Every structure is written in structure tokens, then in C-alpha cells.
């Protein structure tokens, strides 16, 4: 399960259509299962595409919609019947063969679209933002459902989404795209823990991206945030010069006892406001010099704190990722 992730307009659909063969690349090649298919027409690529709007035939029954691809391929009726039945079982629609598609809910139509794509046994299943027309609760259910179907058929899938949470939960590998280019590829944990640029650091999860300069003194490397604050870094080799230090809100803590350990930086700031989300909260702190830092607290740690008061942020030396821009 590969997820193409990026903001709207970055080229995800175009790339998916290029894989399916509906779009011709001006340069580069498309390889499927070890074969160069750049010049192979779409109907010979054995890919199946599921669209955001499902693109079903509203006046046909569920059966006719799902059987369509097999009829085009001139399968015998008997085999069509058993293949359709099998796939409807799999997507949880058995017994609804005779229903009209236009009488079904969004979630059911989504399952019909999935069944129609899967019934031809494609070598790659291509899904273009398939969940974005469903309400939030159903979207979560369908994530798990699609993932388990994909696992049980052991099929390769390329899943397009602009939703980072969807990508993190569904993907084995994520391809992050920005302005028509692939900017990073990796497992969910990898791209979250080690973003390779500020775009990725910001797009996946929340990051504090601080601009400043990497310098070195007698005690080792440090990062001087624009405006003055200093962050002592882990002794590892860090190239000197201008950089961005990206740190996750959950890597930081607020100091309540006034006791930074030897391996922590203590940065004074002013608490500007708190975003309270129930199970967690984000505290927005202004550092000396004007940079803002978000600090996350979870569960029982979440406390109401006085606004406009001085506060100290604890920053472990090993926290954060150094980025070149
Ligand atoms: N590699 C590319 N080269 C040139 N134009 C592109 C490329 N990728 C996307 N586009 C153009 O950018 C626009 C948005 O692309 P689209 O694939 O619809 O983005 P997304 O699905 O991520 O929202 C389209 O007009 C498309 O033609
Ligand atoms: Mg798109």
C-alpha cells in the first residue's frame, strides 16, 4: 500500500492517471511488475482505478455495475456470476446484487466502486481520494475496511490522499509530493521522525520550524535561533551555517519544577494561548526574539495555565531534526 500524499494541486491525480495510462508522460517511464508499460494502452495494463465520485452507472444494479468489466472482457455468464458474488461478499455487500446504485448510501456506493475495481483482479489497484466524499466516521471505518481487503487479496495498491492522517494509518510507504515533484519517500514512521525538508516537517504532523544558525563553542555545537535563544545540540556532527531546526510539539515539555536536567535546554518564554482538545492540548509559547513554539501535553499532564505568564520550555538535546531549508 503506497500512498501519494500532497496538497491539492500538487499532481497526485496526474501521476495516478499516468500509471493507469490515461496520461502520457513527456519524459520518464512507467514500470508495472518489472515491465516497461509506458507505451501500453490503459486497457492492456490491468490496472483498476477507483475515483473520488465513484463514477458508477446509477441506473444499473449493483450486479450490473460490478459485472461490467467482466462482460467487456467477454467472460462467460456463469463465471461472471460467481466472481461478482465472491467480490460482493468480500466488500460486505452480499445480498444487495439487485439494488439500484442510486438508491444506496455513499458508503455503499464506495463499496460497489471498490468491488467493480477488484473483480477484474487487477495487478495494481489505484485509488484517487476514495474516501473524501464520506462523512468523518464512515471514512475511518472504510480505512480499516480497504486495508483489510487489500491484505486479504494481497494486492498492490496506490492510494492518493491529501490527508496526512489517512496516509499515516493506511500506508506501508508514503510518497510526499509538492508542486509536481516527489520530495520524500519512506515508511510512515520514517517520514514522521526524519522529514528531509520544512515542507514535509510541516505537512506531516505538526512541527516547530525555527530558523537560525548552527555554530560551535567550547562545549560543542549549538543552534542560535533568530532573535537570540540558544539550543545546545547533541554532540553529533552538524554542519555550521544557516539552517532550520524542526522540533515536534511532543518532543518538548513545560517545566513546572524549574529543574532542567543536564541533557536538556531550558528556554524561557511567555505563554500566549492554549488550544485545548480534550485528550491533549497545545501551548503556544513566544520565545525571546519573537519565535513561537508549540508544546504538546497529553492526558493527565494537561493543565490549565496562566496566559501571559513566563514559562520555561524543556528541550532535550537530541530532539529535533536539522534541515537545510
Ligand atoms: N508533472 C506535471 N507536469 C505538468 N503539469 C502537471 C504535472 N502534474 C500535475 N500537473 C498539472 O497540475 C494540475 C493539478 O494536478 P492534479 O494531478 O489534479 O493535482 P492533485 O490531484 O494533487 O490535486 C493539473 O492541471 C495538472 O495538469
Ligand atoms: Mg486529485
Amino acid at each position: 500500500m503506497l500512498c501519494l500524499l500532497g496538497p491539492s494541486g500538487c499532481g497526485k491525480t496526474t501521476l495516478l492517471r499516468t500509471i493507469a495510462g490515461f496520461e502520457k508522460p513527456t519524459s520518464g517511464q512507467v514500470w508495472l511488475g518489472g515491465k516497461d508499460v509506458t507505451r501500453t494502452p490503459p486497457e492492456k495494463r490491468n490496472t483498476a482505478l477507483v475515483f473520488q465520485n465513484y463514477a458508477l452507472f446509477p441506473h444499473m444494479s449493483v450486479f450490473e455495475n460490478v459485472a461490467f468489466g467482466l462482460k467487456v472482457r467477454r467472460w462467460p455468464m456463469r463465471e461472471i456470476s460467481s466472481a461478482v458474488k465472491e467480490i460482493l461478499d468480500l466488500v460486505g455487500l452480499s445480498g444487495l446484487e439487485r439494488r439500484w446504485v442510486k438508491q444506496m448510501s455513499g458508503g455503499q456506493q464506495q463499496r460497489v466502486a471498490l468491488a467493480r475495481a477488484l473483480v477484474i483482479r487487477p495487478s495494481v489497484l489505484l485509488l484517487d481520494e476514495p474516501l473524501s466524499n464520506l462523512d468523518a466516521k464512515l471514512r475511518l471505518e472504510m480505512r480499516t475496511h480497504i486495508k483489510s481487503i487489500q491484505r486479504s487479496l494481497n494486492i498492490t495498491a496506490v492510494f492518493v490522499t491529501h490527508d496526512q492522517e489517512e496516509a499515516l494509518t493506511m500506508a506501508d510507504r508514503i510518497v510526499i509530493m509538492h508542486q509536481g515533484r516527489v520530495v520524500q519517500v519512506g515508511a510512515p514512521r520514517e517520514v514522521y521522525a526524519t522529514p528531509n525538508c520544512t515542507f514535509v516537517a510541516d505537512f506531516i504532523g505538526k512541527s516547530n520550524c525555527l530558523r537560525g544558525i548552527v555554530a560551535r563553542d567550547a562545549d560543542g555545537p549549538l543552534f542560535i535561533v533568530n532573535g537570540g535563544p540558544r539550543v545546545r545540540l547533541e554532540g553529533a556532527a552538524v554542519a555550521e551555517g544557516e539552517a532550520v531546526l524542526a522540533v515536534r510539539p511532543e518532543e518538548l515539555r513545560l517545566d513546572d519544577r524549574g529543574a532542567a536536567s543536564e541533557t536538556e535546554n531550558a528556554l524561557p518564554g511567555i505563554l500566549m494561548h492554549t488550544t485545548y482538545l480534550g485528550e491533549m492540548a497545545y501551548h503556544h509559547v513566544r520565545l525571546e526574539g519573537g519565535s513561537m513554539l508549540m508544546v504538546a501535553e497529553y492526558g493527565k499532564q494537561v493543565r490549565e495555565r496562566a496566559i501571559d505568564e513566563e514559562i520555561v520550555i524543556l528541550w532535550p538535546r537530541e530532539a529535533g531534526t536539522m534541515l537545510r531549508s
Side-chain angles (χ1 to χ4, degrees):
M1 176 75 79
L2 183 85
C3 280
L4 302 180
L5 173 68
S8 181
C10 73
K12 304 180 297 292
T13 295
T14 304
L15 180 53
L16 205 68
R17 288 173 53 82
T18 307
I19 298 171
F22 299 118
E23 206 84 59
K24 290 240 171 312
T26 39
S27 63
Q29 295 135 19
V30 181
W31 288 68
L32 286 180
K35 240 180 75 192
D36 183 350
V37 296
T38 316
R39 288 174 202 296
T40 309
E43 66 277 9
K44 299 231 167 89
R45 291 192 187 187
N46 200 30
T47 61
L49 195 49
V50 175
F51 301 93
Q52 181 176 344
N53 57 8
Y54 319 140
L56 297 168
F57 308 115
H59 299 289
M60 290 188 190
S61 67
V62 170
F63 180 89
E64 288 166 323
N65 267 276
V66 177
F68 186 81
L70 302 178
K71 284 188 180 153
V72 170
R73 284 170 172 73
R74 298 183 189 290
W75 278 36
M77 198 53 208
R78 220 209 178 108
E79 284 173 38
I80 292 182
S81 285
S82 70
V84 170
K85 188 178 180 321
E86 190 185 331
I87 215 77
L88 287 178
D89 276 350
L90 187 71
V91 302
L93 286 179
S94 47
L96 299 180
E97 288 86 343
R98 299 284 148 221
R99 274 291 173 87
W100 277 25
V101 160
K102 65 174 185 182
Q103 298 173 324
M104 304 183 104
S105 69
Q108 288 175 321
Q109 293 192 19
Q110 174 58 255
R111 287 167 196 250
V112 178
L114 202 57
R116 189 178 63 177
L118 290 171
V119 80
I120 66 162
R121 299 283 153 158
S123 45
V124 192
L125 176 66
L126 306 172
L127 304 136
D128 193 356
E129 313 229 11
L131 307 183
S132 47
N133 283 345
L134 303 177
D135 66 52
K137 193 153 174 277
L138 201 52
R139 207 177 309 150
L140 294 190
E141 264 175 52
M142 281 304 285
R143 275 185 198 165
T144 329
H145 188 59
I146 291 181
K147 188 91 187 145
S148 79
I149 289 175
Q150 183 246 344
R151 283 222 188 91
S152 71
L153 293 178
N154 198 20
I155 190 177
T156 301
V158 181
F159 187 105
V160 163
T161 179
H162 65 270
D163 180 335
Q164 45 118 352
E165 195 187 284
E166 206 160 278
L168 289 172
T169 51
M170 307 258 317
D172 297 310
R173 267 201 308 165
I174 301 181
V175 172
I176 298 149
M177 296 179 63
H178 182 41
Q179 297 179 339
R181 287 174 192 284
V182 170
V183 288
Q184 189 168 3
V185 182
R189 278 165 198 278
E190 219 175 306
V191 291
Y192 187 84
T194 52
N196 66 5
C197 61
T198 51
F199 175 78
V200 175
D202 214 36
F203 194 74
I204 302 216
K206 286 182 168 30
S207 274
N208 296 294
C209 291
L210 295 171
R211 299 197 168 272
I213 291 170
V214 179
R216 193 168 287 277
D217 68 6
D219 293 325
L222 51 86
F223 184 77
I224 306 167
V225 181
N226 285 350
R230 286 155 177 253
V231 180
R232 178 67 59 193
L233 304 173
E234 192 76 347
V238 190
E240 289 176 42
E242 276 184 33
V244 173
L245 184 50
V247 64
R248 300 287 184 191
E250 69 268 23
E251 293 183 283
L252 305 172
R253 292 190 292 128
L254 295 179
D255 183 16
D256 291 316
R257 296 202 203 100
S261 78
E262 294 242 316
T263 57
E264 282 174 318
N265 294 283
L267 299 173
I270 306 284
L271 179 60
M272 303 306 288
H273 66 275
T274 294
T275 312
Y276 178 67
L277 297 171
E279 81 279 17
M280 67 166 302
Y282 289 107
H283 301 289
H284 301 258
V285 181
R286 194 181 68 215
L287 299 179
E288 143 189 47
S291 300
M292 295 292 299
L293 269 188
M294 265 188 299
V295 181
E297 282 187 328
Y298 299 88
K300 291 210 168 70
Q301 286 180 332
V302 176
R303 291 213 283 112
E304 199 161 347
R305 293 167 191 276
I307 301 299
D308 288 333
E309 301 253 314
E310 231 179 73
I311 208 159
V312 173
I313 297 176
L314 296 182
W315 178 323
R317 288 187 182 186
E318 74 281 359
T321 308
M322 196 63 72
L323 304 169
R324 274 297 136 200
S325 69

